[in-house]
Amino acid sequence: MSLSPAAVVAGAYFPGPRSENETWVRGEFQAVLDQWFDWRKSLFADDPRLVGPADRLSPGRLERREILSRELAELCEALTAETPTYTPRYIGHMKAEVSLPALLGWLAAMLHNPNNTSREASKVGTVIEAEAIAMLATMVGYDPARAEGHFTSGGTVANFEAVWRARYRLDHWLSLGLHIAEKTGEPLDVFASAHMGWTRFRELWAEHGLTDAVLRRCSAAIGVPADIWRRIGRAAGRDYMGPVLLVPGNKHYSWSKAANLFGLGEESLWAVGLDADGRLDVDDLERLMRRAETEDRPVLMAVGVAGTTETGEIDPIDALHDRLEQWEADRGLHIWRHVDAAYGGFLCAILGGPDEDVLSRASASALRAIGRADSVTIDPHKLGYVPYACGAFLTRDRARYAVSAFDAPYLDRPELGDGKWSSTLEGSRSAAGAAAVWLSGRTIGFDP
Ligand SMILES: *Cc1c(COP(=O)(O)O)cnc(C)c1O
């Protein structure tokens, strides 16, 4: 009997609902442990021992081991009350079985416990992270040589990472506009300034002989926001009400958290209307763009969702890009475009393969267009079958990844190269999720 390719993959890369792969998986767990113990034994052979052969059996130690065994057994027993998401009887939401490459990759890295906050705290883990990010970048249609990114605790934080960068970019452009308006006395065009683009920014920077110090005095991200907003209002000749976030009505609730966290207020989260299929309506997006322009409200970013959390709809990402690229071409207005592909991003892996027709034509085109976005959120701990907590944030290139740096001198040793610490919202970060993604990419692969 010949098995379908899907059955071969499922049989090879999962423990099996009846633990069919138990013997093999035990062997792999053992191999990981063997390597770990051998590594520990191989180093510093002359160091004194903590536990000698004789005192291994001393009463105090034996008793403690018994306590540990007992408590561990209780923990394991308690965990059997968890939902058995490993069985095909379970067709649940989001949570699923983890794959063997992901589990083994996670375990292998976890035993070394690297902290990907810096190269110093994770010599190998940070390299694995860069390689795994390149694999995901390739899958979503970015050029892996130019793309940049990192693993997060999940999609929520990855979405925050996008807002953080969009705000950094908008703040720079608007600060420059404010400075010029205050210097020249000409009225500030808030909308045009806030979306001017880096090319225009650099031209004006040179033309007006700007310095960092001058720009900082006009930045709402650095100065007192209320004061800067008042100055923007005065320069523009009308009250400045702050930026808006254009997010479709089918959004995940992390976008409401983002607005709240970045001090935007609920009002500034403008819900883009949906079409009859529950997908982002590009005409309504444009209507809101015009309204934002009329009201002098900069657009912090426009978000499309690839795989909505409740029902799995894929927004017309291609049409969203077409429309906003038109704004860019016609008017020089650069709007940050983010795709929240936390849920559906891994569907990109089936594009171009024999199973592509499980997707509607519209969904396939939308997924193909993810690579045109400024930034993307993707959750390996959803359709990547990777253990929690593992999300990822990607940008199309390094320039888009940039964000204002914070000084943490205790982590900064230039001779060790840059770590991610200055460009991640999170501080300490495990390398285990990156290793899980890396081993999945090397085995299952993120292609058809
Ligand atoms: C799950 C999800 C998120 C949030 O991801 P977490 O990993 O739960 O933080 C964001 N957006 C979408 C579309 C999601 O499905």
Side-chain angles (χ1 to χ4, degrees):
M1 191 184 74
S2 85
L3 295 168
S4 75
V8 171
V9 169
Y13 291 129
F14 288 89
R18 307 302 313 275
S19 299
E20 296 90 318
N21 283 324
E22 176 177 355
T23 309
W24 173 58
V25 176
R26 280 182 188 277
E28 295 299 335
F29 265 73
Q30 192 61 52
V32 171
L33 284 176
D34 287 349
Q35 169 94 47
W36 184 60
F37 278 120
D38 287 348
W39 173 68
R40 298 176 67 110
K41 283 186 281 190
S42 70
L43 299 174
F44 321 118
D46 298 333
D47 282 2
R49 288 167 174 273
L50 176 67
V51 186
D55 43 38
R56 200 170 297 159
L57 301 177
S58 78
R61 290 207 162 116
L62 267 184
E63 193 193 332
R64 278 170 177 76
R65 277 203 221 166
E66 274 163 23
I67 293 171
L68 174 55
S69 296
R70 194 178 64 229
E71 298 299 322
L72 175 61
E74 186 177 329
L75 174 64
C76 292
E77 174 60 28
L79 286 167
T80 62
E82 284 292 357
T83 308
T85 51
Y86 64 84
T87 158
R89 290 166 177 269
Y90 173 85
I91 305 176
H93 192 67
M94 299 287 168
K95 254 191 96 190
E97 175 76 305
V98 294
S99 75
L100 290 173
L103 183 60
L104 291 164
W106 187 94
L107 175 71
M110 207 55 231
L111 290 175
H112 295 267
N113 198 25
N115 180 351
N116 274 5
T117 191
S118 75
R119 292 280 263 281
E120 188 180 11
S122 175
K123 276 192 287 191
V124 180
T126 49
V127 177
I128 290 171
E129 174 168 31
E131 292 180 8
I133 286 291
M135 293 176 188
L136 293 180
T138 304
M139 180 177 71
V140 300
Y142 281 156
D143 172 359
R146 296 178 62 215
E148 189 63 69
H150 63 268
F151 288 93
T152 63
S153 66
T156 300
V157 171
N159 285 341
F160 295 171
E161 295 280 6
V163 177
W164 194 27
R165 282 161 177 82
R167 188 185 69 152
Y168 162 79
R169 188 172 92 165
L170 188 142
D171 181 69
H172 266 60
W173 297 347
L174 190 52
S175 301
L176 183 62
L178 174 61
H179 167 73
I180 293 170
E182 287 184 337
K183 195 173 106 179
T184 62
E186 279 168 26
L188 170 63
D189 183 338
V190 172
F191 202 77
S193 287
H195 307 112
M196 69 171 67
W198 286 117
T199 307
R200 184 81 188 121
F201 178 87
R202 278 188 285 271
E203 280 168 15
L204 290 170
W205 176 281
E207 203 177 298
H208 293 266
L210 256 110
T211 62
D212 259 344
V214 171
L215 201 67
R216 288 172 78 90
R217 285 201 292 275
C218 298
S219 160
I222 289 169
V224 177
D227 178 47
I228 305 292
W229 284 27
R230 188 182 47 73
R231 280 165 54 195
I232 293 172
R234 199 167 53 202
R238 75 192 280 192
D239 285 348
Y240 177 56
M241 307 299 280
V244 294
L245 258 168
L246 301 187
V247 186
N250 57 24
K251 69 177 186 301
H252 184 264
Y253 58 84
S254 53
W255 291 103
S256 310
K257 289 183 185 172
N260 190 258
L261 193 63
F262 284 90
L264 295 172
E266 237 171 73
E267 185 280 337
S268 55
L269 198 61
W270 286 8
V272 181
L274 306 178
D275 65 15
D277 295 321
R279 305 176 315 153
L280 175 139
D281 176 348
V282 180
D283 289 331
D284 198 55
L285 173 80
E286 185 146 27
R287 181 184 67 80
L288 290 176
M289 288 282 303
R290 293 191 193 293
R291 182 180 148 203
E293 183 174 26
T294 313
E295 297 181 12
D296 269 344
R297 307 282 303 269
V299 176
L300 192 52
M301 59 163 61
V303 178
V305 183
T308 64
T309 317
E310 277 78 21
T311 48
E313 265 87 30
I314 295 174
D315 285 338
I317 313 287
D318 43 342
L320 179 146
H321 288 317
D322 290 346
R323 204 61 72 92
L324 293 182
E325 280 166 9
Q326 202 61 51
W327 279 64
E328 203 170 303
D330 295 347
R331 321 243 333 258
L333 296 170
H334 297 248
I335 311 292
W336 188 286
R337 286 170 266 138
H338 177 78
V339 178
D340 183 356
Y343 198 4
F346 276 88
L347 294 177
C348 292
I350 63 180
L351 293 174
D355 296 321
E356 183 178 318
D357 56 11
V358 303
L359 298 164
S360 69
R361 293 261 289 278
S363 291
S365 309
L367 292 170
R368 278 207 167 79
I370 292 180
R372 289 158 67 191
D374 293 286
S375 55
V376 176
T377 286
I378 183 165
D379 261 351
H381 65 205
K382 286 176 183 161
L383 291 181
Y385 302 102
V386 165
Y388 292 110
C390 185
F393 170 73
L394 306 172
T395 60
R396 198 158 82 209
D397 55 33
R398 294 203 171 83
R400 288 173 167 82
Y401 188 70
V403 77
S404 34
F406 297 93
D407 297 326
Y410 69 98
L411 293 173
D412 202 7
R413 303 254 312 272
E415 73 276 17
L416 294 165
D418 274 347
K420 290 275 186 198
W421 59 268
S422 61
S423 32
T424 59
L425 287 172
E426 291 165 276
S428 297
R429 290 181 309 116
S430 168
V437 170
W438 187 93
L439 197 56
S440 301
R442 284 293 192 98
T443 52
I444 303 173
F446 302 136
D447 53 26

